[in-house]
Amino acid sequence: MADPQFGVYVANGGNFTVSALDRFHALIATIDVGGPPGLPPPDMLRVAVDHLMSRAYVANRGLHRVSVIGISSDPPALSLDFTDVEGPLGVAVDPVSHRVFVTQPDHNTISVIDATTHDVVRSIPVGPHPTGIAIDSQKRRVYVANSGFRTVSVIDTTTGGVAEIDVGQSPTGVAVDSHGAVYLSHPDGLVRVIDPGSAGVIARIPVGSQPQSLAFEPHSNRVYVANGGDGTVSAIDVAGS
């Protein structure tokens, strides 16, 4: 997860750590967030940054919690604050409300965490096996990739309503660009782009093998795609897509 003020935070699921890099991509800290003994399965940690609150939130499936890293300290350090969430995976922060949204694939729900109290204030039913999650703060929407089916759940954070968009089999990761377009990774090696107005697929972009997580980087105006099948990263030029 890239943060324009504090650098880059990388979740290392293989050893339950988070790497903190500065704006020049120099490693400044390796933060142990804890996990059960033994070799962990893949995709056990994910991280999201709220730079206005000077925090990084780590969804830790191994400990069934969302941990907090203070990113303004030198070096960044794990806080004593955390929230118990059963089987968390995807995590995203609303930069307006500062609430934290967490996917729970085993329960087909989203938990919403209050950043002040660290309490779960709402549980939202979504589609089967939700994994990736992204927030469009301007349109007040949360997009959830339901990898167990073929839909994206769209949560209206103003009304609380939930709608479903059919996007094709097993969407895994999701990202939103600065124009509100929604990017979804699929196991067939494609990233599909959804127009939020029409709720239709407007582009299909070939990437690497088994694309998983995505992230939009506003300075370069690109969506970066982690391809788990071949160990590569694809960069999609938003202006050219």
Side-chain angles (χ1 to χ4, degrees):
M1 172 61 69
D3 180 89
Q5 182 175 355
F6 293 101
V8 177
Y9 287 78
V10 181
N12 306 307
N15 60 2
F16 292 106
T17 64
V18 173
S19 296
L21 289 74
D22 65 17
R23 288 174 294 177
F24 306 102
H25 298 163
L27 180 67
I28 57 175
T30 299
I31 304 156
D32 188 344
V33 297
L39 183 65
D43 214 8
M44 295 294 282
L45 292 183
R46 293 191 184 181
V47 61
V49 173
D50 185 341
H51 72 272
L52 291 178
M53 296 288 285
S54 299
R55 294 172 179 171
Y57 294 92
V58 184
N60 188 332
R61 282 177 68 79
L63 293 182
H64 301 285
R65 68 173 50 167
V66 176
S67 300
V68 180
I69 294 172
I71 64 176
S72 61
S73 61
D74 187 15
L78 187 68
S79 168
L80 295 178
D81 296 318
F82 66 88
T83 304
D84 290 320
V85 178
E86 186 68 26
L89 182 56
V91 57
V93 181
D94 183 345
V96 176
S97 69
H98 301 288
R99 288 192 165 182
V100 184
F101 292 74
V102 184
T103 64
Q104 296 174 270
D106 302 324
H107 301 278
N108 302 334
T109 57
I110 305 299
S111 282
V112 184
I113 300 171
D114 185 291
T116 302
T117 65
H118 303 287
D119 294 328
V120 174
V121 295
R122 189 180 176 198
S123 181
I124 306 171
V126 290
H129 205 78
T131 50
I133 185 168
I135 295 175
D136 184 341
S137 59
Q138 294 182 345
K139 293 185 174 65
R140 312 301 298 138
R141 294 173 179 172
V142 178
Y143 293 92
V144 183
N146 300 312
S147 65
F149 192 42
R150 50 183 299 124
T151 61
V152 170
S153 296
V154 185
I155 303 168
D156 186 320
T157 60
T158 301
T159 66
V162 181
E164 303 291 330
I165 301 175
D166 189 330
V167 295
Q169 193 65 35
S170 302
T172 304
V174 58
V176 181
D177 71 16
S178 56
H179 304 292
V182 183
Y183 296 73
L184 298 153
S185 58
H186 293 260
D188 59 3
L190 293 176
V191 168
R192 289 169 172 82
V193 186
I194 307 299
D195 180 340
S198 66
V201 177
I202 57 174
R204 293 170 174 82
I205 304 171
V207 289
S209 174
Q210 298 177 26
Q212 297 174 354
S213 298
L214 305 104
F216 172 65
E217 204 290 301
H219 298 288
S220 63
N221 207 30
R222 289 175 175 173
V223 172
Y224 292 90
V225 186
N227 302 308
D230 55 19
T232 64
V233 174
S234 298
I236 300 171
D237 186 339
V238 169
S241 62

